[in-house]
């Protein structure tokens, strides 16, 4: 039986278990859309901007562990989607971006909306494939799934010339290719067990590759059995229950110097499922690059990262879950005498920062009131999504994440993920609470996807920190160019009215006293909700104020 290449592509997606794709339609890949029409087992979510569609695919991949899929039109659509491709690479998330291309007969002629995707995505995608032979589209798609998931997961861009898509293909839809899931050898685990048994002050740093439910359970089991404190990498604060006495903090932005000082006293670091990036290592100081102050054991599925930043004593090419499982099942000996004291010191890094003290502000509500109200009201399995900006400092500082929560943020630091990630999460989990915190800057970048939430009934709760500023950049201006504020003031719409115009519920938090009742009302609502928070700019982050900055105060 023959089929068009586009039909073979969609059948291949079905065979790979794809059940949802995010798109903005384009004339360049009409044949794929038409093939999707015949496959209702794949839900096609029509978005409002390719950045939003791409971010939804990134978030969906973070949730399911399978490649997130976005389809976009040629050059203009592809350019709009680039931020999500970059984020998928930075966050090591498997993603497939299918892009239309001009007909093969016009390729190289500078045709309308022709672009060389190898060049456009060359440095941000893991791989770029342009398929010109209709017989190859299905097998190339299977290969794209494999590449996106192998080693360091990442984005694969598939360019599809318009005429190729409608040509007949005799090849069957392609079956999934095997993806190796590297596991440690017994000898590897023994070497780690020996070092751990001897260390007085070990520290485990867990990252995003350890975010599946099995890895979370095994992480807890290792920490309990081996009496090891656990710090978590940037934007992965949900991997380990923060209130647990072994939790040693979130290695994100804004951490006081004392964090590196205290945790840097570790005499062994075991990094699992993290690439030990710049933010997590607090500027390549924990562990120190290029030569750490203590032996570093690095466990990651891709050995490319061993020794790349910091000298590695032992590198184990393994996924987090099998390594942690194997380690948890070893008999842990009684730890050395100083261990209990070390656990206390490591937990104090988090515990000293975490308590929230209500503050009053003359120019609005400190966003800490919202974080505190969310902490009080959200159930244990709530999903939180964040955008990039200072408002997130209150969440990271004061929200006591549990390993049953799911936190979706961009380690790439890209603004714009928060709202699309909420839509993707609410579609996956219609019965769980999905709360988003986003700035007024980020909300007007991809908040248009509120329309997508309304259209598909995604129950998102979006809390907008309306401080009238690109606050993060304002903070940097205050530090480096005090009194010379430029291009950071924002004049905003009333986000609650805007929400109503979209067909969502619009609420407002105007005073600190509004925080708890309005959060409760938002969480009790049936459909999508936007809460406009009149946020204080004076309280510019959870760590400082404009007045302190003006006095040359730290942070
Ligand atoms: C796509 C993108 N553009 C620009 C930046 C630079 N940037 C980082 S934070 C920020 C301001 C965020 O403002 P807002 O969303 O209002 O949150 P706030 O910092 O005020 O809490 C900007 C412009 C970025 N990280 N990503």
């Amino acid at each position: 039986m023959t089929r068009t290449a586009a039909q073979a592509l969609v059948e291949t997606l079905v065979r790979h278990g794809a059940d949802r794709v995010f798109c903005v339609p384009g004339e360049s890949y009409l044949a794929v859309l038409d093939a999707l029409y015949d496959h209702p087992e794949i839900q096609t979510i029509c978005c409002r901007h390719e950045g939003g569609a791409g971010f939804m695919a990134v978030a969906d991949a973070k949730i399911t562990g399978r490649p997130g899929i976005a389809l976009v039109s040629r050059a203009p659509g592809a350019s709009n989607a680039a931020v999500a491709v970059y984020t998928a690479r930075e966050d090591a998330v498997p993603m497939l971006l299918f892009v239309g291309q001009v007909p093969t007969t016009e390729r190289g002629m500078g045709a309308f909306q022709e672009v060389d995707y190898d060049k456009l995505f060359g440095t941000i995608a893991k791989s770029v494939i342009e398929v010109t032979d209709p017989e190859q589209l299905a097998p190339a798609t299977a290969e794209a799934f494999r590449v996106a998931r192998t080693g360091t997961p990442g984005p694969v861009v598939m360019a599809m010339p318009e005429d190729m898509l409608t040509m007949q293909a005799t090849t069957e839809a392609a079956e999934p290719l095997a993806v190796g899931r590297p596991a440690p050898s017994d000898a590897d685990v023994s070497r780690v067990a020996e070092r751990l048994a001897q260390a007085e002050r070990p520290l485990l740093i867990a990252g995003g590759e350890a975010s599946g439910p099995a890895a979370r359970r095994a992480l807890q089991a290792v920490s309990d059995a081996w009496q090891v404190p656990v710090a978590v990498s940037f934007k992965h604060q949900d991997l380990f229950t923060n209130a647990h006495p072994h939790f040693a903090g979130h290695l994100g932005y804004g951490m006081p110097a004392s964090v590196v000082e205290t945790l840097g006293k570790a005499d062994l670091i075991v990094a699992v499922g993290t690439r030990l990036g710049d933010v997590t290592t607090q500027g390549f100081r924990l562990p120190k690059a290029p030569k750490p102050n203590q032996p570093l054991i690095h466990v990651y599925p891709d050995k490319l990262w061993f020794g790349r930043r910091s000298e590695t004593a032992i590198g184990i090419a393994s996924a987090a879950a099998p390594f942690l499982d194997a380690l948890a099942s070893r008999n842990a000996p009684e730890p050395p005498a100083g261990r209990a004291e070390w656990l206390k010191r490591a937990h104090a890094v988090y515990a000293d920062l975490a308590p929230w003290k209500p503050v009053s502000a003359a120019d609005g509500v400190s966003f800490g009131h919202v974080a505190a109200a969310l902490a009080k009201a959200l159930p244990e399995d709530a999903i939180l999504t964040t955008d990039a900006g200072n408002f997130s400092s209150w969440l990271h500082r004061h929200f006591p994440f549990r390993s049953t929560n799911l936190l979706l943020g961009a380690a790439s630091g890209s603004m714009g993920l928060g709202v699309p990630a909420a839509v993707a999460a609410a579609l996956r989990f219609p019965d769980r609470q999905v709360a988003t915190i986003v700035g007024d800057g980020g909300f007007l970048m991809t908040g248009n996807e509120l329309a997508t939430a309304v259209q598909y009934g995604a129950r998102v709760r979006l809390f907008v920190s309306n401080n009238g500023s690109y606050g993060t950049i304002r903070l940097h201006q205050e530090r480096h160019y005090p009194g010379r504020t430029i291009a950071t003031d924002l004049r905003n719409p009333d986000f609650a009215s805007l929400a109503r115009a979209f067909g969502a519920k619009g609420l407002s938090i105007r005073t600190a006293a509004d925080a708890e009742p309005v959060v409760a009302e938002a969480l009790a609502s049936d459909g999508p909700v936007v809460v406009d928070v009149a946020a204080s700019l004076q309280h510019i982050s959870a760590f400082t104020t404009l007045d302190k900055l003006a006095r040359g105060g730290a942070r």
Side-chain angles (χ1 to χ4, degrees), residues 388-391 413-415 439-442 445 465 467 469-473 490:
N390 272 355
F391 56 85
S414 297
M415 294 165 73
D440 41 4
M445 285 192 177
S465 171
N467 63 1
S469 175
Y470 283 126
T472 308
I473 310 306
L490 298 175

Side-chain angles (χ1 to χ4, degrees), residues 9 50 61 176 222 270 282 330 521:
L9 160 65
E50 291 83 355
V222 164
V270 185
Q282 305 287 293
R330 291 293 173 102
E521 187 179 349

